[in-house]
Amino acid sequence: MNSRNTEKKEQKANNTNKEDTTLMKEILEYVKLIGGVLIVMVLLQTFIVVNARIPSASMEPTIMTGDRVFGNRLAYIKNDPERYDIIIFRYPDDESRLFIKRIIGLPGDTVDIHDGNVYINGSEVPLEDSFCPIPSSTDGGSLTYPFTVPEDSYFVLGDNRLNSRDAREWVNTFVRRDKILGKAVFRYWPVTKMSVIKGGSGF
């Protein structure tokens, strides 16, 4: 009898050990899975995607306050930024902050703003800006018009021209190319407004 009881206890102990081992394996698999996901997310965030939350109304109605967007970090590896691209960049007056604006002036461009319109390179025809709900403004800042955009730099404005803290007001007027983190390409929040963000020559 004692021998049978001993065998039962040993069998029960073995079963318990097997269950514990199985549980530990499952936990380790979950840990590996979570670790893998985190590594992928970090790599995406570092090398491929820049994630941005829009804190103000400066880009309305194109991008609304509170929207969340993805920027493509690889967009300008081979191609130069284009006029009308919406970019995420380090704010020239405080590089710890990220801003999002639309490119208006390209390197070497002469930019003039008067009578609520933007003029490029002496053109008598104002720059197409139908994406703006209201005209531009020359108010604010110490810019002297017209001015020339330095090489390897860009002049950017918000679409909501009368409610945008942009290059017209900054101490350091222009965004250097090496401070551009990515091109805004997709709005993912709110879910009901998921959409591709238009930019470039097609707005």
Side-chain angles (χ1 to χ4, degrees):
M1 181 68 69
N2 290 336
S3 177
R4 289 183 179 178
N5 289 338
T6 300
E7 289 178 2
K8 288 181 179 180
K9 288 180 180 179
E10 289 178 353
Q11 186 176 359
K12 185 176 181 181
N14 289 335
N15 290 338
T16 300
N17 289 336
K18 288 180 181 179
E19 290 175 359
D20 290 343
T21 301
T22 301
L23 179 61
M24 285 301 298
K25 286 182 178 179
E26 290 180 356
I27 291 173
L28 285 173
E29 288 300 321
Y30 281 120
V31 169
K32 289 179 182 178
L33 178 62
I34 293 171
V37 170
L38 290 175
I39 290 172
V40 170
M41 289 177 64
V42 169
L43 290 174
L44 284 173
Q45 183 75 10
T46 303
F47 299 108
I48 299 176
V49 172
V50 55
N51 183 21
R53 179 184 178 278
I54 310 306
S56 72
S58 69
M59 284 300 294
E60 293 184 359
T62 308
I63 307 174
M64 305 300 289
T65 305
D67 284 358
R68 292 182 179 272
V69 303
F70 284 137
N72 178 10
R73 290 182 183 271
L74 304 179
Y76 302 126
I77 296 297
K78 293 184 178 180
N79 300 313
D80 291 329
E82 297 181 3
R83 198 183 323 278
Y84 299 122
D85 281 358
I86 298 174
I87 58 171
I88 301 167
F89 56 93
R90 296 195 181 281
Y91 172 39
D93 291 346
D94 179 0
E95 292 187 3
S96 67
R97 301 170 63 187
L98 301 186
F99 272 29
I100 182 168
K101 306 290 180 187
R102 190 186 295 270
I103 292 176
I104 297 299
L106 301 174
D109 276 351
T110 298
V111 180
D112 196 5
I113 302 179
H114 60 82
D115 299 327
N117 293 306
V118 179
Y119 297 86
I120 301 293
N121 298 328
S123 172
E124 296 182 358
V125 179
L127 190 68
E128 168 61 46
D129 60 1
S130 57
F131 44 80
C132 295
I134 45 182
S136 302
S137 170
T138 55
D139 296 338
S142 57
L143 282 173
T144 300
Y145 300 93
F147 59 85
T148 299
V149 182
E151 291 301 319
D152 209 33
S153 297
Y154 297 84
F155 178 75
V156 300
L157 297 174
D159 287 359
N160 191 359
R161 298 282 170 79
L162 295 184
N163 190 17
S164 174
R165 184 182 181 187
D166 52 38
R168 295 167 294 174
E169 301 179 10
W170 301 340
V171 174
N172 298 288
T173 305
F174 307 101
V175 178
R176 296 208 321 264
R177 177 168 177 158
D178 62 356
K179 300 303 178 182
I180 298 175
L181 299 184
K183 177 182 178 181
V185 293
F186 188 74
R187 178 194 352 243
Y188 69 90
W189 187 265
V191 175
T192 54
K193 292 184 178 180
M194 277 188 179
S195 59
V196 173
I197 296 173
K198 294 181 179 180
S201 58
F203 297 170

